[in-house]
Amino acid sequence: MKTILAYGDSLTWGYSPEGGGIRHPFVDRWPSVLEAGLAGQARVIAEGLNGRTTASDDFTAASDRNGVRVLPTLLDSHRPLDLVVIMLGSNDIKTFVTGSAFAAANGMKRLAEIVRTFPYGSGEVPQVLLVAPPLTAKSPRNDHPASVSPRTADDQLFDHYYALAAKEIGAGYFNARRWPRLRRWTASTSMPPIHVRSARGWSPLLNPCSASRPGSQFISGGPHG
């Protein structure tokens, strides 16, 4: 059985749009739905942290939110790994972090470099799949937080810069913008969790029957990238 590390922020952690730190049930989080959709071909380890950035410090929280600094420890903890899926960047565009999708893309390249150069010992180097985060959206009950606006338009640039970064380093790439518009700050509880809807798109992405899709080759033992 293959092993996937899902490395991300609140989307991977399972943060609920209800707010207040409420977390989606385990079975509804996208890494859990992805694992179920792969039907025993792989297990998915969820390593999500609210507020995590690609490579920038944020000292407003008690935990270390710098993705670059934390990743090596997690690679060592969970090895051997076959694939590392990195979906970060939404917190990078906060005005007090970098406010820039371009900077986030550079952080993603650094994360991929860490995955590929970490001293795994006798284990093989895992493949890397970069994922551009979904778009953010205003809520009927709550506008974008002041920490993100007015630079929220940078989420429109994730696909452009992340696709270029993935091509440059020869990594797999997926644009989560293909998922329904993210409602991170929506208070409505009537809509199905974004995690369930989005993760249903991951199964065919990594399914060995879809060899033309990025990331699919890791299941069948294909080459990196």
Side-chain angles (χ1 to χ4, degrees):
M1 180 181 292
K2 304 289 187 177
T3 302
I4 303 172
L5 176 63
Y7 192 55
D9 51 25
S10 57
L11 289 173
T12 303
W13 185 81
Y15 191 89
S16 171
E18 297 176 55
I22 298 175
R23 197 173 189 180
H24 283 306
F26 180 81
V27 295
D28 288 343
R29 300 169 201 164
W30 76 258
S32 303
V33 179
L34 170 60
E35 180 172 296
L38 291 174
Q41 296 182 89
R43 67 186 186 101
V44 180
I45 302 170
E47 278 290 355
L49 176 68
N50 294 333
R52 176 174 283 153
T53 69
T54 60
S56 297
D57 287 328
D58 176 0
F59 296 115
T60 63
S63 57
D64 190 346
R65 291 178 166 180
N66 189 316
V68 161
R69 193 156 48 233
V70 175
L71 182 57
T73 298
L74 300 179
L75 294 175
D76 202 13
S77 176
H78 297 301
R79 63 187 174 95
L81 296 166
D82 297 282
L83 174 68
V84 178
V85 179
I86 307 172
M87 182 168 66
L88 287 168
S90 295
N91 294 297
D92 290 65
I93 62 173
K94 291 177 179 177
T95 55
F96 64 88
V97 181
T98 68
S100 168
F102 175 74
N106 284 330
M108 293 288 277
K109 289 195 293 184
R110 175 62 184 134
L111 289 167
E113 181 182 42
I114 291 172
V115 173
R116 289 172 166 174
T117 60
F118 185 81
Y120 296 98
S122 58
E124 294 185 2
V125 176
Q127 295 184 57
V128 180
L129 178 64
L130 304 185
V131 180
L135 297 175
T136 58
K138 294 181 180 180
S139 163
R141 300 184 184 180
N142 187 26
D143 202 346
H144 283 105
S147 64
V148 176
S149 63
R151 289 300 299 274
T152 48
D154 264 57
D155 63 3
Q156 301 278 351
L157 302 175
F158 279 137
D159 181 42
H160 173 72
Y161 288 123
Y162 280 36
L164 289 176
K167 183 177 180 180
E168 178 182 336
I169 66 177
Y173 173 67
F174 180 68
N175 180 15
R177 187 174 176 176
R178 299 175 187 175
W179 299 343
R181 180 176 286 266
L182 172 64
R183 300 179 183 273
R184 177 173 298 175
W185 300 287
T186 299
S188 171
T189 59
S190 61
M191 59 175 240
I194 185 72
H195 302 267
V196 174
R197 297 204 310 272
S198 62
R200 286 171 181 163
W202 285 86
S203 298
L205 175 71
L206 300 176
N207 193 292
C209 297
S210 304
S212 63
R213 299 177 183 241
S216 64
Q217 293 178 329
F218 102 96
I219 289 285
S220 57
H224 292 269

mmCIF file with all atom_site columns, all heavy atoms in Angstrom, residues 5 17-18 22-23 29 31 34 42 56 80 91 95 98 102-103 110 137 154 157 159 170 180 187 207 214 217 225:
data_model
loop_
_atom_site.group_PDB
_atom_site.id
_atom_site.type_symbol
_atom_site.label_atom_id
_atom_site.label_alt_id
_atom_site.label_comp_id
_atom_site.label_asym_id
_atom_site.label_entity_id
_atom_site.label_seq_id
_atom_site.pdbx_PDB_ins_code
_atom_site.Cartn_x
_atom_site.Cartn_y
_atom_site.Cartn_z
_atom_site.occupancy
_atom_site.B_iso_or_equiv
_atom_site.pdbx_formal_charge
_atom_site.auth_seq_id
_atom_site.auth_comp_id
_atom_site.auth_asym_id
_atom_site.auth_atom_id
_atom_site.pdbx_PDB_model_num
ATOM 1   N N   . LEU A 1 5   ? 1.342   11.885 1.991   1.00 0.00 ? 5   LEU A N   1
ATOM 2   C CA  . LEU A 1 5   ? 1.332   12.910 3.019   1.00 0.00 ? 5   LEU A CA  1
ATOM 3   C C   . LEU A 1 5   ? 0.619   14.139 2.459   1.00 0.00 ? 5   LEU A C   1
ATOM 4   O O   . LEU A 1 5   ? 1.036   14.699 1.445   1.00 0.00 ? 5   LEU A O   1
ATOM 5   C CB  . LEU A 1 5   ? 2.753   13.290 3.439   1.00 0.00 ? 5   LEU A CB  1
ATOM 6   C CG  . LEU A 1 5   ? 2.871   14.444 4.450   1.00 0.00 ? 5   LEU A CG  1
ATOM 7   C CD1 . LEU A 1 5   ? 2.203   14.072 5.776   1.00 0.00 ? 5   LEU A CD1 1
ATOM 8   C CD2 . LEU A 1 5   ? 4.327   14.825 4.670   1.00 0.00 ? 5   LEU A CD2 1
ATOM 9   N N   . PRO A 1 17  ? -16.589 26.176 7.990   1.00 0.00 ? 17  PRO A N   1
ATOM 10  C CA  . PRO A 1 17  ? -17.004 27.556 7.695   1.00 0.00 ? 17  PRO A CA  1
ATOM 11  C C   . PRO A 1 17  ? -17.902 28.140 8.782   1.00 0.00 ? 17  PRO A C   1
ATOM 12  O O   . PRO A 1 17  ? -18.198 29.329 8.751   1.00 0.00 ? 17  PRO A O   1
ATOM 13  C CB  . PRO A 1 17  ? -17.745 27.429 6.360   1.00 0.00 ? 17  PRO A CB  1
ATOM 14  C CG  . PRO A 1 17  ? -18.180 26.007 6.293   1.00 0.00 ? 17  PRO A CG  1
ATOM 15  C CD  . PRO A 1 17  ? -17.092 25.230 6.979   1.00 0.00 ? 17  PRO A CD  1
ATOM 16  N N   . GLU A 1 18  ? -18.337 27.333 9.728   1.00 0.00 ? 18  GLU A N   1
ATOM 17  C CA  . GLU A 1 18  ? -19.105 27.855 10.850  1.00 0.00 ? 18  GLU A CA  1
ATOM 18  C C   . GLU A 1 18  ? -18.242 28.758 11.722  1.00 0.00 ? 18  GLU A C   1
ATOM 19  O O   . GLU A 1 18  ? -18.762 29.582 12.482  1.00 0.00 ? 18  GLU A O   1
ATOM 20  C CB  . GLU A 1 18  ? -19.658 26.715 11.703  1.00 0.00 ? 18  GLU A CB  1
ATOM 21  C CG  . GLU A 1 18  ? -20.642 25.816 10.982  1.00 0.00 ? 18  GLU A CG  1
ATOM 22  C CD  . GLU A 1 18  ? -21.085 24.660 11.847  1.00 0.00 ? 18  GLU A CD  1
ATOM 23  O OE1 . GLU A 1 18  ? -21.575 24.900 12.961  1.00 0.00 ? 18  GLU A OE1 1
ATOM 24  O OE2 . GLU A 1 18  ? -20.923 23.500 11.419  1.00 0.00 ? 18  GLU A OE2 1
ATOM 25  N N   . ILE A 1 22  ? -14.400 25.359 14.948  1.00 0.00 ? 22  ILE A N   1
ATOM 26  C CA  . ILE A 1 22  ? -15.108 24.094 14.745  1.00 0.00 ? 22  ILE A CA  1
ATOM 27  C C   . ILE A 1 22  ? -14.454 23.326 13.608  1.00 0.00 ? 22  ILE A C   1
ATOM 28  O O   . ILE A 1 22  ? -14.109 23.888 12.569  1.00 0.00 ? 22  ILE A O   1
ATOM 29  C CB  . ILE A 1 22  ? -16.587 24.347 14.439  1.00 0.00 ? 22  ILE A CB  1
ATOM 30  C CG1 . ILE A 1 22  ? -17.264 25.041 15.633  1.00 0.00 ? 22  ILE A CG1 1
ATOM 31  C CG2 . ILE A 1 22  ? -17.312 23.041 14.109  1.00 0.00 ? 22  ILE A CG2 1
ATOM 32  C CD1 . ILE A 1 22  ? -18.699 25.436 15.377  1.00 0.00 ? 22  ILE A CD1 1
ATOM 33  N N   . ARG A 1 23  ? -14.319 22.036 13.797  1.00 0.00 ? 23  ARG A N   1
ATOM 34  C CA  . ARG A 1 23  ? -13.640 21.181 12.825  1.00 0.00 ? 23  ARG A CA  1
ATOM 35  C C   . ARG A 1 23  ? -14.634 20.198 12.209  1.00 0.00 ? 23  ARG A C   1
ATOM 36  O O   . ARG A 1 23  ? -15.499 19.656 12.898  1.00 0.00 ? 23  ARG A O   1
ATOM 37  C CB  . ARG A 1 23  ? -12.521 20.409 13.528  1.00 0.00 ? 23  ARG A CB  1
ATOM 38  C CG  . ARG A 1 23  ? -11.474 19.794 12.624  1.00 0.00 ? 23  ARG A CG  1
ATOM 39  C CD  . ARG A 1 23  ? -10.355 19.207 13.477  1.00 0.00 ? 23  ARG A CD  1
ATOM 40  N NE  . ARG A 1 23  ? -9.224  18.781 12.659  1.00 0.00 ? 23  ARG A NE  1
ATOM 41  C CZ  . ARG A 1 23  ? -8.110  18.233 13.145  1.00 0.00 ? 23  ARG A CZ  1
ATOM 42  N NH1 . ARG A 1 23  ? -7.995  18.066 14.460  1.00 0.00 ? 23  ARG A NH1 1
ATOM 43  N NH2 . ARG A 1 23  ? -7.122  17.888 12.336  1.00 0.00 ? 23  ARG A NH2 1
ATOM 44  N N   . ARG A 1 29  ? -13.337 15.271 6.118   1.00 0.00 ? 29  ARG A N   1
ATOM 45  C CA  . ARG A 1 29  ? -12.167 16.049 5.713   1.00 0.00 ? 29  ARG A CA  1
ATOM 46  C C   . ARG A 1 29  ? -11.600 15.480 4.409   1.00 0.00 ? 29  ARG A C   1
ATOM 47  O O   . ARG A 1 29  ? -11.602 14.264 4.202   1.00 0.00 ? 29  ARG A O   1
ATOM 48  C CB  . ARG A 1 29  ? -11.107 16.026 6.812   1.00 0.00 ? 29  ARG A CB  1
ATOM 49  C CG  . ARG A 1 29  ? -11.606 16.607 8.118   1.00 0.00 ? 29  ARG A CG  1
ATOM 50  C CD  . ARG A 1 29  ? -10.662 16.343 9.258   1.00 0.00 ? 29  ARG A CD  1
ATOM 51  N NE  . ARG A 1 29  ? -11.357 16.461 10.552  1.00 0.00 ? 29  ARG A NE  1
ATOM 52  C CZ  . ARG A 1 29  ? -10.905 16.003 11.693  1.00 0.00 ? 29  ARG A CZ  1
ATOM 53  N NH1 . ARG A 1 29  ? -9.703  15.397 11.738  1.00 0.00 ? 29  ARG A NH1 1
ATOM 54  N NH2 . ARG A 1 29  ? -11.603 16.120 12.791  1.00 0.00 ? 29  ARG A NH2 1
ATOM 55  N N   . PRO A 1 31  ? -8.656  14.787 3.120   1.00 0.00 ? 31  PRO A N   1
ATOM 56  C CA  . PRO A 1 31  ? -7.715  13.663 3.103   1.00 0.00 ? 31  PRO A CA  1
ATOM 57  C C   . PRO A 1 31  ? -8.393  12.328 3.418   1.00 0.00 ? 31  PRO A C   1
ATOM 58  O O   . PRO A 1 31  ? -8.033  11.290 2.845   1.00 0.00 ? 31  PRO A O   1
ATOM 59  C CB  . PRO A 1 31  ? -6.698  14.030 4.195   1.00 0.00 ? 31  PRO A CB  1
ATOM 60  C CG  . PRO A 1 31  ? -6.766  15.525 4.281   1.00 0.00 ? 31  PRO A CG  1
ATOM 61  C CD  . PRO A 1 31  ? -8.212  15.837 4.085   1.00 0.00 ? 31  PRO A CD  1
ATOM 62  N N   . LEU A 1 34  ? -10.396 11.338 0.341   1.00 0.00 ? 34  LEU A N   1
ATOM 63  C CA  . LEU A 1 34  ? -9.451  10.876 -0.683  1.00 0.00 ? 34  LEU A CA  1
ATOM 64  C C   . LEU A 1 34  ? -9.021  9.446  -0.415  1.00 0.00 ? 34  LEU A C   1
ATOM 65  O O   . LEU A 1 34  ? -9.024  8.607  -1.318  1.00 0.00 ? 34  LEU A O   1
ATOM 66  C CB  . LEU A 1 34  ? -8.231  11.790 -0.708  1.00 0.00 ? 34  LEU A CB  1
ATOM 67  C CG  . LEU A 1 34  ? -7.037  11.321 -1.546  1.00 0.00 ? 34  LEU A CG  1
ATOM 68  C CD1 . LEU A 1 34  ? -7.434  11.160 -3.006  1.00 0.00 ? 34  LEU A CD1 1
ATOM 69  C CD2 . LEU A 1 34  ? -5.875  12.292 -1.401  1.00 0.00 ? 34  LEU A CD2 1
ATOM 70  N N   . ALA A 1 42  ? -3.986  3.289  -1.093  1.00 0.00 ? 42  ALA A N   1
ATOM 71  C CA  . ALA A 1 42  ? -3.063  4.177  -0.379  1.00 0.00 ? 42  ALA A CA  1
ATOM 72  C C   . ALA A 1 42  ? -3.718  4.656  0.913   1.00 0.00 ? 42  ALA A C   1
ATOM 73  O O   . ALA A 1 42  ? -4.940  4.710  1.027   1.00 0.00 ? 42  ALA A O   1
ATOM 74  C CB  . ALA A 1 42  ? -2.691  5.371  -1.244  1.00 0.00 ? 42  ALA A CB  1
ATOM 75  N N   . SER A 1 56  ? 6.863   31.473 5.329   1.00 0.00 ? 56  SER A N   1
ATOM 76  C CA  . SER A 1 56  ? 6.950   32.742 6.064   1.00 0.00 ? 56  SER A CA  1
ATOM 77  C C   . SER A 1 56  ? 6.564   32.567 7.527   1.00 0.00 ? 56  SER A C   1
ATOM 78  O O   . SER A 1 56  ? 5.757   31.707 7.873   1.00 0.00 ? 56  SER A O   1
ATOM 79  C CB  . SER A 1 56  ? 6.021   33.788 5.429   1.00 0.00 ? 56  SER A CB  1
ATOM 80  O OG  . SER A 1 56  ? 6.418   34.073 4.107   1.00 0.00 ? 56  SER A OG  1
ATOM 81  N N   . PRO A 1 80  ? 8.465   5.740  5.406   1.00 0.00 ? 80  PRO A N   1
ATOM 82  C CA  . PRO A 1 80  ? 8.620   6.059  3.978   1.00 0.00 ? 80  PRO A CA  1
ATOM 83  C C   . PRO A 1 80  ? 7.325   6.607  3.369   1.00 0.00 ? 80  PRO A C   1
ATOM 84  O O   . PRO A 1 80  ? 6.226   6.201  3.749   1.00 0.00 ? 80  PRO A O   1
ATOM 85  C CB  . PRO A 1 80  ? 8.986   4.710  3.363   1.00 0.00 ? 80  PRO A CB  1
ATOM 86  C CG  . PRO A 1 80  ? 8.303   3.706  4.247   1.00 0.00 ? 80  PRO A CG  1
ATOM 87  C CD  . PRO A 1 80  ? 8.370   4.281  5.632   1.00 0.00 ? 80  PRO A CD  1
ATOM 88  N N   . ASN A 1 91  ? -2.780  31.488 3.217   1.00 0.00 ? 91  ASN A N   1
ATOM 89  C CA  . ASN A 1 91  ? -2.352  32.352 4.316   1.00 0.00 ? 91  ASN A CA  1
ATOM 90  C C   . ASN A 1 91  ? -1.188  33.258 3.931   1.00 0.00 ? 91  ASN A C   1
ATOM 91  O O   . ASN A 1 91  ? -0.942  34.268 4.595   1.00 0.00 ? 91  ASN A O   1
ATOM 92  C CB  . ASN A 1 91  ? -1.975  31.497 5.531   1.00 0.00 ? 91  ASN A CB  1
ATOM 93  C CG  . ASN A 1 91  ? -3.173  30.768 6.095   1.00 0.00 ? 91  ASN A CG  1
ATOM 94  O OD1 . ASN A 1 91  ? -4.123  31.380 6.561   1.00 0.00 ? 91  ASN A OD1 1
ATOM 95  N ND2 . ASN A 1 91  ? -3.149  29.448 6.018   1.00 0.00 ? 91  ASN A ND2 1
ATOM 96  N N   . THR A 1 95  ? -2.106  40.251 4.390   1.00 0.00 ? 95  THR A N   1
ATOM 97  C CA  . THR A 1 95  ? -1.328  41.474 4.232   1.00 0.00 ? 95  THR A CA  1
ATOM 98  C C   . THR A 1 95  ? -0.130  41.537 5.167   1.00 0.00 ? 95  THR A C   1
ATOM 99  O O   . THR A 1 95  ? 0.877   42.152 4.843   1.00 0.00 ? 95  THR A O   1
ATOM 100 C CB  . THR A 1 95  ? -2.220  42.706 4.480   1.00 0.00 ? 95  THR A CB  1
ATOM 101 O OG1 . THR A 1 95  ? -2.841  42.585 5.766   1.00 0.00 ? 95  THR A OG1 1
ATOM 102 C CG2 . THR A 1 95  ? -3.291  42.822 3.418   1.00 0.00 ? 95  THR A CG2 1
ATOM 103 N N   . THR A 1 98  ? 2.889   37.940 3.343   1.00 0.00 ? 98  THR A N   1
ATOM 104 C CA  . THR A 1 98  ? 3.562   38.414 2.125   1.00 0.00 ? 98  THR A CA  1
ATOM 105 C C   . THR A 1 98  ? 2.609   39.179 1.218   1.00 0.00 ? 98  THR A C   1
ATOM 106 O O   . THR A 1 98  ? 3.023   40.041 0.465   1.00 0.00 ? 98  THR A O   1
ATOM 107 C CB  . THR A 1 98  ? 4.162   37.247 1.304   1.00 0.00 ? 98  THR A CB  1
ATOM 108 O OG1 . THR A 1 98  ? 3.103   36.444 0.764   1.00 0.00 ? 98  THR A OG1 1
ATOM 109 C CG2 . THR A 1 98  ? 5.089   36.406 2.161   1.00 0.00 ? 98  THR A CG2 1
ATOM 110 N N   . PHE A 1 102 ? 2.838   35.272 -5.876  1.00 0.00 ? 102 PHE A N   1
ATOM 111 C CA  . PHE A 1 102 ? 4.165   35.005 -6.429  1.00 0.00 ? 102 PHE A CA  1
ATOM 112 C C   . PHE A 1 102 ? 5.110   34.517 -5.337  1.00 0.00 ? 102 PHE A C   1
ATOM 113 O O   . PHE A 1 102 ? 5.858   33.554 -5.523  1.00 0.00 ? 102 PHE A O   1
ATOM 114 C CB  . PHE A 1 102 ? 4.727   36.270 -7.071  1.00 0.00 ? 102 PHE A CB  1
ATOM 115 C CG  . PHE A 1 102 ? 6.140   36.137 -7.571  1.00 0.00 ? 102 PHE A CG  1
ATOM 116 C CD1 . PHE A 1 102 ? 6.418   35.426 -8.727  1.00 0.00 ? 102 PHE A CD1 1
ATOM 117 C CD2 . PHE A 1 102 ? 7.197   36.709 -6.875  1.00 0.00 ? 102 PHE A CD2 1
ATOM 118 C CE1 . PHE A 1 102 ? 7.729   35.283 -9.185  1.00 0.00 ? 102 PHE A CE1 1
ATOM 119 C CE2 . PHE A 1 102 ? 8.500   36.578 -7.323  1.00 0.00 ? 102 PHE A CE2 1
ATOM 120 C CZ  . PHE A 1 102 ? 8.769   35.859 -8.484  1.00 0.00 ? 102 PHE A CZ  1
ATOM 121 N N   . ALA A 1 103 ? 5.075   35.174 -4.185  1.00 0.00 ? 103 ALA A N   1
ATOM 122 C CA  . ALA A 1 103 ? 5.903   34.743 -3.061  1.00 0.00 ? 103 ALA A CA  1
ATOM 123 C C   . ALA A 1 103 ? 5.497   33.363 -2.590  1.00 0.00 ? 103 ALA A C   1
ATOM 124 O O   . ALA A 1 103 ? 6.344   32.536 -2.234  1.00 0.00 ? 103 ALA A O   1
ATOM 125 C CB  . ALA A 1 103 ? 5.797   35.752 -1.918  1.00 0.00 ? 103 ALA A CB  1
ATOM 126 N N   . ARG A 1 110 ? 10.343  25.843 -2.726  1.00 0.00 ? 110 ARG A N   1
ATOM 127 C CA  . ARG A 1 110 ? 11.260  25.497 -1.638  1.00 0.00 ? 110 ARG A CA  1
ATOM 128 C C   . ARG A 1 110 ? 10.771  24.253 -0.900  1.00 0.00 ? 110 ARG A C   1
ATOM 129 O O   . ARG A 1 110 ? 11.577  23.375 -0.544  1.00 0.00 ? 110 ARG A O   1
ATOM 130 C CB  . ARG A 1 110 ? 11.373  26.678 -0.671  1.00 0.00 ? 110 ARG A CB  1
ATOM 131 C CG  . ARG A 1 110 ? 12.218  26.383 0.562   1.00 0.00 ? 110 ARG A CG  1
ATOM 132 C CD  . ARG A 1 110 ? 13.657  26.052 0.217   1.00 0.00 ? 110 ARG A CD  1
ATOM 133 N NE  . ARG A 1 110 ? 14.408  25.696 1.417   1.00 0.00 ? 110 ARG A NE  1
ATOM 134 C CZ  . ARG A 1 110 ? 15.216  24.652 1.513   1.00 0.00 ? 110 ARG A CZ  1
ATOM 135 N NH1 . ARG A 1 110 ? 15.410  23.851 0.468   1.00 0.00 ? 110 ARG A NH1 1
ATOM 136 N NH2 . ARG A 1 110 ? 15.863  24.413 2.631   1.00 0.00 ? 110 ARG A NH2 1
ATOM 137 N N   . ALA A 1 137 ? -13.988 33.475 -1.010  1.00 0.00 ? 137 ALA A N   1
ATOM 138 C CA  . ALA A 1 137 ? -15.219 34.162 -1.382  1.00 0.00 ? 137 ALA A CA  1
ATOM 139 C C   . ALA A 1 137 ? -15.809 34.883 -0.182  1.00 0.00 ? 137 ALA A C   1
ATOM 140 O O   . ALA A 1 137 ? -15.647 34.435 0.950   1.00 0.00 ? 137 ALA A O   1
ATOM 141 C CB  . ALA A 1 137 ? -16.239 33.168 -1.940  1.00 0.00 ? 137 ALA A CB  1
ATOM 142 N N   . ASP A 1 154 ? -5.187  38.285 -5.160  1.00 0.00 ? 154 ASP A N   1
ATOM 143 C CA  . ASP A 1 154 ? -4.019  37.462 -5.446  1.00 0.00 ? 154 ASP A CA  1
ATOM 144 C C   . ASP A 1 154 ? -4.367  35.984 -5.542  1.00 0.00 ? 154 ASP A C   1
ATOM 145 O O   . ASP A 1 154 ? -3.608  35.202 -6.133  1.00 0.00 ? 154 ASP A O   1
ATOM 146 C CB  . ASP A 1 154 ? -2.937  37.671 -4.377  1.00 0.00 ? 154 ASP A CB  1
ATOM 147 C CG  . ASP A 1 154 ? -1.901  38.695 -4.827  1.00 0.00 ? 154 ASP A CG  1
ATOM 148 O OD1 . ASP A 1 154 ? -2.312  39.826 -5.136  1.00 0.00 ? 154 ASP A OD1 1
ATOM 149 O OD2 . ASP A 1 154 ? -0.714  38.353 -4.881  1.00 0.00 ? 154 ASP A OD2 1
ATOM 150 N N   . LEU A 1 157 ? -4.245  34.577 -8.902  1.00 0.00 ? 157 LEU A N   1
ATOM 151 C CA  . LEU A 1 157 ? -2.946  34.380 -9.537  1.00 0.00 ? 157 LEU A CA  1
ATOM 152 C C   . LEU A 1 157 ? -2.268  33.070 -9.131  1.00 0.00 ? 157 LEU A C   1
ATOM 153 O O   . LEU A 1 157 ? -1.213  32.737 -9.663  1.00 0.00 ? 157 LEU A O   1
ATOM 154 C CB  . LEU A 1 157 ? -2.014  35.554 -9.197  1.00 0.00 ? 157 LEU A CB  1
ATOM 155 C CG  . LEU A 1 157 ? -2.507  36.947 -9.600  1.00 0.00 ? 157 LEU A CG  1
ATOM 156 C CD1 . LEU A 1 157 ? -1.538  38.008 -9.092  1.00 0.00 ? 157 LEU A CD1 1
ATOM 157 C CD2 . LEU A 1 157 ? -2.663  37.032 -11.115 1.00 0.00 ? 157 LEU A CD2 1
ATOM 158 N N   . ASP A 1 159 ? -3.039  29.957 -9.758  1.00 0.00 ? 159 ASP A N   1
ATOM 159 C CA  . ASP A 1 159 ? -2.923  28.994 -10.857 1.00 0.00 ? 159 ASP A CA  1
ATOM 160 C C   . ASP A 1 159 ? -1.758  29.345 -11.777 1.00 0.00 ? 159 ASP A C   1
ATOM 161 O O   . ASP A 1 159 ? -0.965  28.475 -12.162 1.00 0.00 ? 159 ASP A O   1
ATOM 162 C CB  . ASP A 1 159 ? -4.231  28.954 -11.645 1.00 0.00 ? 159 ASP A CB  1
ATOM 163 C CG  . ASP A 1 159 ? -4.190  27.945 -12.790 1.00 0.00 ? 159 ASP A CG  1
ATOM 164 O OD1 . ASP A 1 159 ? -3.671  26.836 -12.593 1.00 0.00 ? 159 ASP A OD1 1
ATOM 165 O OD2 . ASP A 1 159 ? -4.682  28.281 -13.887 1.00 0.00 ? 159 ASP A OD2 1
ATOM 166 N N   . GLY A 1 170 ? 9.565   20.375 -12.411 1.00 0.00 ? 170 GLY A N   1
ATOM 167 C CA  . GLY A 1 170 ? 9.174   19.039 -12.849 1.00 0.00 ? 170 GLY A CA  1
ATOM 168 C C   . GLY A 1 170 ? 8.313   18.288 -11.851 1.00 0.00 ? 170 GLY A C   1
ATOM 169 O O   . GLY A 1 170 ? 8.442   17.077 -11.691 1.00 0.00 ? 170 GLY A O   1
ATOM 170 N N   . PRO A 1 180 ? -15.612 23.636 -6.332  1.00 0.00 ? 180 PRO A N   1
ATOM 171 C CA  . PRO A 1 180 ? -16.555 24.747 -6.102  1.00 0.00 ? 180 PRO A CA  1
ATOM 172 C C   . PRO A 1 180 ? -15.875 25.852 -5.307  1.00 0.00 ? 180 PRO A C   1
ATOM 173 O O   . PRO A 1 180 ? -14.975 25.594 -4.516  1.00 0.00 ? 180 PRO A O   1
ATOM 174 C CB  . PRO A 1 180 ? -17.677 24.092 -5.283  1.00 0.00 ? 180 PRO A CB  1
ATOM 175 C CG  . PRO A 1 180 ? -17.600 22.635 -5.635  1.00 0.00 ? 180 PRO A CG  1
ATOM 176 C CD  . PRO A 1 180 ? -16.140 22.355 -5.859  1.00 0.00 ? 180 PRO A CD  1
ATOM 177 N N   . ALA A 1 187 ? -20.972 31.340 6.942   1.00 0.00 ? 187 ALA A N   1
ATOM 178 C CA  . ALA A 1 187 ? -21.551 30.812 8.173   1.00 0.00 ? 187 ALA A CA  1
ATOM 179 C C   . ALA A 1 187 ? -22.604 29.746 7.892   1.00 0.00 ? 187 ALA A C   1
ATOM 180 O O   . ALA A 1 187 ? -23.055 29.063 8.807   1.00 0.00 ? 187 ALA A O   1
ATOM 181 C CB  . ALA A 1 187 ? -22.181 31.942 8.986   1.00 0.00 ? 187 ALA A CB  1
ATOM 182 N N   . ASN A 1 207 ? -5.933  8.071  -9.473  1.00 0.00 ? 207 ASN A N   1
ATOM 183 C CA  . ASN A 1 207 ? -6.303  6.714  -9.831  1.00 0.00 ? 207 ASN A CA  1
ATOM 184 C C   . ASN A 1 207 ? -5.390  6.180  -10.932 1.00 0.00 ? 207 ASN A C   1
ATOM 185 O O   . ASN A 1 207 ? -5.109  6.880  -11.903 1.00 0.00 ? 207 ASN A O   1
ATOM 186 C CB  . ASN A 1 207 ? -7.758  6.674  -10.312 1.00 0.00 ? 207 ASN A CB  1
ATOM 187 C CG  . ASN A 1 207 ? -8.295  5.265  -10.396 1.00 0.00 ? 207 ASN A CG  1
ATOM 188 O OD1 . ASN A 1 207 ? -7.853  4.494  -11.223 1.00 0.00 ? 207 ASN A OD1 1
ATOM 189 N ND2 . ASN A 1 207 ? -9.234  4.944  -9.528  1.00 0.00 ? 207 ASN A ND2 1
ATOM 190 N N   . PRO A 1 214 ? -1.941  14.405 -13.499 1.00 0.00 ? 214 PRO A N   1
ATOM 191 C CA  . PRO A 1 214 ? -0.762  14.589 -12.645 1.00 0.00 ? 214 PRO A CA  1
ATOM 192 C C   . PRO A 1 214 ? -0.919  13.854 -11.334 1.00 0.00 ? 214 PRO A C   1
ATOM 193 O O   . PRO A 1 214 ? -1.955  13.883 -10.696 1.00 0.00 ? 214 PRO A O   1
ATOM 194 C CB  . PRO A 1 214 ? -0.717  16.109 -12.422 1.00 0.00 ? 214 PRO A CB  1
ATOM 195 C CG  . PRO A 1 214 ? -2.118  16.570 -12.674 1.00 0.00 ? 214 PRO A CG  1
ATOM 196 C CD  . PRO A 1 214 ? -2.627  15.664 -13.736 1.00 0.00 ? 214 PRO A CD  1
ATOM 197 N N   . GLN A 1 217 ? 0.767   8.568  -11.551 1.00 0.00 ? 217 GLN A N   1
ATOM 198 C CA  . GLN A 1 217 ? 1.790   7.560  -11.730 1.00 0.00 ? 217 GLN A CA  1
ATOM 199 C C   . GLN A 1 217 ? 2.342   7.011  -10.413 1.00 0.00 ? 217 GLN A C   1
ATOM 200 O O   . GLN A 1 217 ? 2.917   5.932  -10.390 1.00 0.00 ? 217 GLN A O   1
ATOM 201 C CB  . GLN A 1 217 ? 2.937   8.103  -12.568 1.00 0.00 ? 217 GLN A CB  1
ATOM 202 C CG  . GLN A 1 217 ? 2.536   8.393  -14.021 1.00 0.00 ? 217 GLN A CG  1
ATOM 203 C CD  . GLN A 1 217 ? 3.689   8.969  -14.808 1.00 0.00 ? 217 GLN A CD  1
ATOM 204 O OE1 . GLN A 1 217 ? 4.542   9.657  -14.286 1.00 0.00 ? 217 GLN A OE1 1
ATOM 205 N NE2 . GLN A 1 217 ? 3.725   8.688  -16.083 1.00 0.00 ? 217 GLN A NE2 1
ATOM 206 N N   . GLY A 1 225 ? 7.437   13.238 -10.793 1.00 0.00 ? 225 GLY A N   1
ATOM 207 C CA  . GLY A 1 225 ? 6.997   14.379 -11.570 1.00 0.00 ? 225 GLY A CA  1
ATOM 208 C C   . GLY A 1 225 ? 5.647   14.172 -12.176 1.00 0.00 ? 225 GLY A C   1
ATOM 209 O O   . GLY A 1 225 ? 5.171   14.997 -12.894 1.00 0.00 ? 225 GLY A O   1
#
